[in-house]
Amino acid sequence: MTLFALSSLTRRTLLSSTSIASGARGFASLDAYEEYGKHVFTGKVADTYLKKHGASGELLKDPSWTKTHADVVAAAVLDWAVDNGANTFCHWFQPMASSGVRHGQTGQVQNMMMKFNRDTNEVMFDFKGKDLIKGETDGSSYPNGGLRGTHCAGGYLALDTSSPIFLRGDTIFVPSALVSYYGAALDEKTPVLRANAALNKQGSRLLKHLGLDASKHGGLVTNIGLEQEIFLIPREEYYRRPDLQLTGRTIIGKDAPRGQEMCDHYMAPLSSATPALACMQEIQEECWKLGIPLKTRHREVAPNQFEFAPLFGTNTTQIDQNVMVMQIIEEVSARHGLAALLQEKPFNNVNGSGKHNNWSIATADGIQLLLPKAVHEATGNPYAFPIIMAAIVSAIDEHGDLMRMAISSPGNDFRLGACEAPPAIVSTYLGEDMSFYLEHFKDGKGLGEYVPGVKTLDLGVSEILPFEVPAEDRNRTSPFPYGGARFEFRAVGSSQNVSLVNTVLNTITAEKFSDFADKIDAGEDPIAVARAALNKHWRVVFNGNNYDEKNQQMLTERGVWRIDSGVEAIHVLSSEKNVKLFQKMNVMNQEECQARETVLHDHYTGTVEMEALCLIDMINQHIIPSVKAAGVGPLEDLEAAIPKLKDAIASIHHAENSYEAAKLARVLRLETMIDIRNICDAAEEVVPANLWTLATYKELLFLDSHVGPGLEEIYE
């Protein structure tokens, strides 16, 4: 058995025996979770070690410690590291366009915290403040869109004080930003930090007009909670699929006789007869040590699809933790005889995977700006909430193109609008209750605060008493529904680093807060400003079924942002409107916007090229030999497919720029390769199973029924 499985069983036994012996309720004990957070340098852990050096955990709350107490913090971190068996550190950063290709989606150079005395041949620990707060690397060897080159390669790493240092194995990880010699963002993190600053500044300006001095509450922060969907498949079958190994998705594959048509997988029991449950438990345990509150686990809609969800937290911390969660998922699954698939659409004709980005704004001390009662009590202003909502609705309507751009991961090509994720039309769901209130507010027909309604459900049985539920239903078809104290960006891809998503959300909201504050500064009435904005942008509010094609056409005719192509969506990053927006909010300059667009297009094209080359190999090395051995199947069509793929790849290589290459890659992927897939799937349909050398959907997707190695063999 795994160590985790053994320790979990031991804990349950100990808790059970304790409750019998002492009469205590064993399940109320937290002893089993005493390791939680021990490997993250914050809270009690940081306080304990900093006190040994004359400081306290409070020191870390002020970023100026990097100037005034860097050596003190470094000494405390070193003590903590040594006590936990670590002797190495790294600046841990997030290069652009890493999803689907870079393991862990991060960069790092691991250095031992030691110095070596050449005279005495002795070794001693050595870790100074200067080592902790700053580093240097080659900035030209990561995707950079032309911001760096071999002759101008400097990349500089600076510790991010908003996200805690953590420990895994023998290594200390220092969350860091990566910038060029001239300060240009070369990573995912830097724009988020700038967007956070913009939201804090502009939101605080607006709130002061509404009755709340945010500076007295620590300023404004954005909190997010990220729901991570994945597939877990048998690793032995994974090794029989070159496409899964190299691209993360099946580029061919006939549907199994069974899929998700019976709705029998969603939230079904996590079976102890397969490795999946033990794998998920070990993932949670690793995360808990790092202070990642990965609280929820369950099955998702498709076969072999699962989900984890943590408690919410500040966006930079949650992003860093989610990146590490994805790495842990991949590594732990291998130890259980499984392969984890994070790509958005690994299998055809069953649901793909997303990462719902639950986004909210609050003061640092916890006043929720998207919770009507909380913001009313904090401001004493019954109209504070509708004014804030008016700004956000305006931002969604005006900058829906950027929201679409932010979710243009390669895997979302196959997922958006497929009755499993919202379509590429950026509207927002507010619910009938709030919509009714805001509609009256904007038309000057209603007065007073918004009090969310509730209704009572009476099941008509004595065993279950009547209970209250929100007045609003859930709308899972909306890209950006309001869910009570938060918005849920449902269209985000499962493999994405969500930094760009949250950079966009914070920047467009900050710009609207700025616009409102400017008008109020100039003497306009706050309510009048909000009403005008709602009347101008009300078209983006839609509470109906976004999957319905008639509704999609209606929203398109309304003028709501619709960009079906991810390649075209990426292209809006460098549009005049959007460059001005990012420059105005001091998030990115024109050069950074253009570079990021180039990086995203190159990432898309590179992904497609790998898929096409994989398809060529699979046809040549597997499908054609199987068809020949069987003496049945579309042999001529398969042979004709190879030059088509090679010609398409050559055309991409000769494109004049990254944008043109990405457009050609999209045609290759969504037209040529789909046609060729149909030929391959037709071959699989007629070739006898004993002659088909690639793992089938039946073998990949059904852990519960597929006969494989027993648990004893897996955990031997």
Side-chain angles (χ1 to χ4, degrees):
M1 296 178 69
T2 62
L3 289 175
F4 175 74
L6 180 61
S7 62
S8 297
L9 179 62
T10 302
R11 286 176 189 153
R12 287 195 294 270
T13 304
L14 287 173
L15 289 172
S16 176
S17 61
T18 300
S19 65
I20 294 171
S22 64
R25 294 170 64 205
F27 59 80
S29 171
L30 295 176
D31 292 347
Y33 309 101
E34 61 184 8
E35 295 295 307
Y36 179 84
K38 284 199 172 181
H39 290 175
V40 60
F41 197 74
T42 190
K44 290 183 178 180
V45 170
D47 191 59
T48 298
Y49 284 93
L50 284 166
K51 282 180 176 176
K52 296 177 181 179
H53 295 272
S56 75
E58 290 295 310
L59 179 68
L60 300 180
K61 295 180 180 179
D62 182 351
S64 66
W65 70 258
T66 57
K67 295 291 186 184
T68 60
H69 291 79
D71 285 333
V72 170
V73 175
V77 168
L78 178 60
D79 287 349
W80 171 63
V82 172
D83 285 352
N84 285 278
N87 60 9
T88 299
F89 84 101
C90 67
H91 290 103
W92 184 72
F93 58 97
Q94 299 164 21
M96 291 184 276
S98 295
S99 66
V101 287
R102 175 183 284 266
H103 175 59
Q105 300 195 30
T106 60
Q108 56 201 262
V109 175
Q110 299 185 356
N111 291 295
M112 298 188 78
M113 297 183 288
M114 293 180 177
K115 63 181 178 181
F116 303 85
N117 189 317
R118 296 182 186 276
D119 294 330
T120 65
N121 204 31
E122 292 179 313
V123 178
M124 61 188 70
F125 286 110
D126 182 50
F127 188 57
K128 303 286 195 305
K130 62 182 178 63
D131 304 315
L132 174 63
I133 65 172
K134 188 175 67 175
E136 183 178 356
T137 188
D138 171 12
S140 69
S141 294
Y142 308 100
N144 61 76
L147 292 173
R148 297 279 76 194
T150 308
H151 65 295
C152 51
Y156 296 89
L157 297 156
L159 176 147
D160 172 19
T161 59
S162 73
S163 188
I165 299 164
F166 62 94
L167 178 155
R168 190 170 183 235
D170 69 349
T171 303
I172 299 296
F173 293 84
V174 182
S176 302
L178 173 67
V179 298
S180 75
Y181 181 76
Y182 300 100
L186 300 177
D187 64 344
E188 301 276 8
K189 179 183 283 285
T190 301
V192 182
L193 293 169
R194 293 173 181 166
N196 287 351
L199 186 72
N200 178 37
K201 178 180 178 181
Q202 304 304 334
S204 296
R205 287 181 60 211
L206 177 60
L207 285 172
K208 189 165 284 190
H209 286 296
L210 303 181
L212 177 65
D213 186 348
S215 66
K216 294 181 178 178
H217 298 270
L220 296 182
V221 298
T222 49
N223 294 312
I224 60 174
L226 301 170
E227 304 169 37
Q228 181 67 56
E229 295 176 350
I230 60 170
F231 280 82
L232 294 174
I233 64 171
R235 199 165 190 85
E236 61 178 358
E237 306 300 344
Y238 170 77
Y239 289 138
R240 295 176 56 217
R241 289 299 301 226
D243 48 0
L244 283 177
Q245 287 180 270
L246 299 179
T247 74
R249 76 176 185 94
T250 55
I251 52 181
I252 65 164
K254 183 180 76 70
D255 292 350
R258 174 182 175 184
Q260 61 189 49
E261 59 278 346
M262 300 297 287
C263 302
D264 55 326
H265 300 283
Y266 189 53
M267 296 195 181
L270 291 163
S271 173
S272 60
T274 76
L277 176 57
C279 175
M280 297 182 82
Q281 289 171 329
E282 185 173 346
I283 289 166
Q284 286 180 296
E285 177 163 277
E286 281 223 23
C287 289
W288 290 333
K289 290 177 183 177
L290 300 179
I292 302 173
L294 206 61
K295 187 176 179 182
T296 300
R297 65 178 187 239
H298 64 85
R299 286 191 195 249
E300 260 296 336
V301 172
N304 285 9
Q305 188 181 34
F306 303 90
E307 179 180 300
F308 286 108
L311 297 176
F312 71 89
T314 55
N315 62 2
T316 50
T317 299
Q318 286 287 302
I319 291 167
D320 288 356
Q321 290 182 347
N322 178 254
V323 168
M324 181 50 69
V325 166
M326 289 191 286
Q327 179 176 335
I328 290 170
I329 286 171
E330 289 190 319
E331 293 174 357
V332 171
S333 63
R335 299 202 287 265
H336 290 263
L338 300 170
L341 306 179
L342 297 169
Q343 213 256 23
E344 285 78 7
K345 192 73 171 177
F347 300 102
N348 198 35
N349 290 331
V350 295
N351 274 20
S353 297
K355 181 168 10 217
H356 302 163
N357 190 108
N358 295 278
W359 175 85
S360 63
I361 311 171
T363 60
D365 62 358
I367 300 170
Q368 299 289 328
L369 299 193
L370 302 185
L371 192 62
K373 183 178 180 180
V375 73
H376 180 202
E377 289 178 352
T379 61
N381 182 347
Y383 300 110
F385 178 74
I387 292 169
I388 291 167
M389 290 299 296
I392 294 173
V393 167
S394 302
I396 298 166
D397 184 42
E398 189 166 326
H399 298 299
D401 58 334
L402 280 175
M403 292 174 67
R404 172 65 178 96
M405 178 278 299
I407 57 169
S408 297
S409 63
N412 259 352
D413 262 356
F414 301 101
R415 177 173 164 268
L416 295 181
C419 290
E420 59 187 272
I425 306 170
V426 185
S427 64
T428 184
Y429 167 87
L430 302 181
E432 299 300 332
D433 193 51
M434 191 198 299
S435 296
F436 179 84
Y437 170 82
L438 288 178
E439 204 155 14
H440 281 67
F441 171 81
K442 75 181 179 66
D443 294 337
K445 297 177 181 177
L447 297 173
E449 67 174 305
Y450 172 59
V451 180
V454 295
K455 69 175 186 177
T456 299
L457 293 183
D458 187 344
L459 305 188
V461 297
S462 61
E463 293 84 358
I464 301 175
L465 297 181
F467 57 94
E468 287 188 346
V469 297
E472 301 303 339
D473 206 342
R474 283 190 178 195
N475 190 334
R476 294 169 55 85
T477 73
S478 176
F480 201 63
Y482 176 79
R486 74 190 193 284
F487 281 91
E488 181 182 16
F489 202 172
R490 293 185 53 81
V492 180
S494 54
S495 71
Q496 284 189 257
N497 178 321
V498 298
S499 293
L500 186 56
V501 168
N502 289 283
T503 295
V504 166
L505 293 179
N506 283 12
T507 303
I508 66 177
T509 304
E511 194 264 347
K512 282 304 168 190
F513 284 169
S514 171
D515 180 44
F516 277 34
D518 287 346
K519 290 176 179 177
I520 298 168
D521 286 345
E524 293 189 43
D525 177 63
I527 294 176
V529 170
R531 283 174 173 164
L534 285 172
N535 277 298
K536 180 179 179 180
H537 298 288
W538 192 250
R539 65 184 178 181
V540 81
V541 176
F542 179 64
N543 296 328
N545 181 4
N546 287 261
Y547 291 162
D548 186 283
E549 291 185 3
K550 291 181 180 178
N551 288 336
Q552 292 177 10
Q553 184 60 35
M554 177 268 295
L555 288 169
T556 304
E557 291 171 357
R558 270 193 200 178
V560 174
W561 279 107
R562 176 176 186 167
I563 309 175
D564 291 332
S565 164
V567 170
E568 297 301 332
I570 291 168
H571 191 45
V572 307
L573 185 50
S574 62
S575 72
E576 182 179 359
K577 170 183 83 77
N578 293 329
V579 169
K580 284 183 177 178
L581 166 72
F582 285 118
Q583 287 179 326
K584 178 183 176 183
M585 293 294 104
N586 295 314
V587 173
M588 289 189 286
N589 59 32
Q590 183 173 11
E591 186 182 27
E592 289 172 308
C593 289
Q594 291 171 338
R596 204 158 289 256
E597 178 188 323
T598 297
V599 166
L600 292 172
H601 277 144
D602 287 347
H603 182 231
Y604 182 90
T605 302
T607 300
V608 175
E609 182 172 349
M610 287 188 295
E611 291 175 352
L613 291 171
C614 221
L615 181 54
I616 290 171
D617 281 355
M618 292 170 75
I619 292 173
N620 281 332
Q621 298 170 9
H622 292 272
I623 302 174
I624 287 178
S626 292
V627 167
K628 286 181 176 179
V632 294
L635 180 59
E636 290 184 6
D637 290 339
L638 289 166
E639 291 174 336
I642 302 302
K644 287 181 183 178
L645 290 167
K646 290 182 176 179
D647 289 347
I649 294 169
S651 297
I652 291 170
H653 288 172
H654 289 96
E656 58 182 284
N657 56 46
S658 295
Y659 174 42
E660 295 300 325
K663 288 196 289 186
L664 291 172
R666 186 172 187 270
V667 173
L668 169 59
R669 190 188 210 197
L670 300 184
E671 296 179 21
T672 307
M673 288 179 64
I674 286 179
D675 290 341
I676 294 172
R677 177 188 185 130
N678 290 334
I679 297 169
C680 296
D681 293 353
E684 182 182 348
E685 190 170 5
V686 296
V687 170
N690 65 315
L691 297 177
W692 191 258
T693 57
L694 297 166
T696 66
Y697 274 26
K698 171 183 171 293
E699 294 163 328
L700 291 164
L701 277 174
F702 298 96
L703 279 173
D704 291 328
S705 55
H706 178 65
V707 177
L711 287 177
E712 309 82 17
E713 183 179 341
I714 292 173
Y715 294 136
E716 189 174 24

